Amino acid sequence: MIPYSFEHDPPAPVIEITIANTLNRRLRQVLPALLDSGADVTAIPQHTIEPLQLYPIGRMLFEDLHAESSYVYTY
C-alpha cells in the first residue's frame, strides 16, 4: 500500500523516487513524489537540476492551472 501524505490537502499518495544523471549515476537524489494518475507530464523541482548536472534535451510549451503558457526545458 502506498502511504498518503498529509502535507497535501486533501491527503494524497506519495512514493519515494530517485532522480539520477544518466552520464554519472553517482549524481542522484531521492525525493518524495506525488502520484497523479491524471498528470500529462512528470515534473521535478527546479532546485534538483544544478546539483545533478542535468542538461536540457528539448523544450515544450507548458500551460499552467491559470491557462498561462510558457516554455519549459525537458530533461
Side-chain angles (χ1 to χ4, degrees), residues 15-22 24-33 42-45 48 52 54:
I15 61 170
E16 199 170 77
I17 62 165
T18 301
I19 301 172
N21 181 309
T22 58
N24 182 351
R25 298 239 182 231
R26 287 179 285 155
L27 296 174
R28 64 177 139 197
Q29 192 170 14
V30 177
L31 301 169
T42 299
I44 61 172
T48 62
L52 296 177
L54 303 178

Side-chain angles (χ1 to χ4, degrees), residues 30-74:
V30 177
L31 301 169
L34 177 65
L35 288 179
D36 183 352
S37 61
D40 293 326
V41 297
T42 299
I44 61 172
Q46 184 71 33
H47 64 80
T48 62
I49 295 169
E50 188 177 326
L52 296 177
Q53 299 174 11
L54 303 178
Y55 296 97
I57 59 169
R59 289 185 340 155
M60 66 180 278
L61 187 60
F62 181 80
E63 185 176 304
D64 66 16
L65 295 172
H66 305 290
E68 294 180 15
S69 297
S70 60
Y71 280 96
V72 294
Y73 288 111
T74 58

